[in-house]
């Protein structure tokens, strides 16, 4: 079984803020060693993160979480074995992530 690895530009920025130089170097080397694809924090991801927070799906106090989830959603990162994908529900303009609909703020 092989996997394609991803890391967001937000995570790269977080790694850059690590005070422990050895730890920072090790993580940076892993990113290169495994050829992780860096996902951009697009305008659409920023907008979606704002929607997640404004609709109450993610607390406004946790914007980094909203950013990570929005980046994964926009890039359709999921787990096919557990059927976890960020699809858009027909008739619902807001995407779903891990089964969470922003329209009704429910997690099945």
């Amino acid at each position: 079984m092989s996997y394609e690895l991803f890391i967001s530009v937000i995570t790269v920025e977080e790694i850059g803020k690590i005070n422990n130089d050895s730890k920072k170097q090790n993580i940076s080397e892993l990113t290169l060693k495994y050829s992780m694809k860096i996902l951009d924090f697009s305008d659409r991801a920023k907008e979606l993160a704002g929607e997640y927070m404004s609709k109450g799906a993610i607390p406004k106090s946790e914007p980094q979480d909203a950013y990570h989830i929005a980046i994964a959603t926009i890039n359709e990162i999921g787990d096919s074995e557990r059927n976890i994908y960020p699809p858009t529900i027909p008739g619902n303009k807001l995407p779903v992530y891990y089964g969470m609909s922003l329209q009704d703020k429910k997690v099945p």
Side-chain angles (χ1 to χ4, degrees):
M1 191 178 254
S2 66
Y3 295 94
E4 187 173 4
L5 301 177
F6 301 93
I7 188 169
S8 73
V9 69
I10 300 285
T11 303
V12 171
E13 290 172 5
E14 290 171 349
I15 292 167
K17 294 176 184 176
I18 296 173
N19 291 328
N20 182 318
D21 289 336
S22 176
K23 185 183 246 184
K24 186 187 317 186
Q25 182 65 31
N26 288 340
I27 294 171
S28 296
E29 287 174 6
L30 287 172
T31 302
L32 294 173
K33 178 180 178 180
Y34 292 103
S35 302
M36 293 183 194
K37 179 181 176 188
I38 299 175
L39 303 175
D40 192 28
F41 189 31
S42 66
D43 288 340
R44 180 63 187 124
K46 290 173 190 170
E47 179 183 322
L48 184 57
E51 290 179 35
Y52 285 147
M53 291 183 287
S54 70
K55 299 288 184 178
I58 298 171
K60 291 179 182 178
S61 62
E62 305 300 329
Q64 292 297 101
D65 291 345
Y67 301 157
H68 289 295
I69 293 169
I71 290 168
T73 301
I74 296 300
N75 287 280
E76 298 181 353
I77 306 300
D79 181 341
S80 61
E81 290 182 23
R82 292 185 290 163
N83 198 27
I84 299 173
Y85 280 100
T88 300
I89 297 174
N92 179 1
K93 294 180 182 179
L94 300 174
V96 171
Y97 190 75
Y98 289 112
M100 179 182 356
S101 170
L102 293 180
Q103 191 168 28
D104 57 18
K105 294 189 260 181
K106 292 181 183 175
V107 178

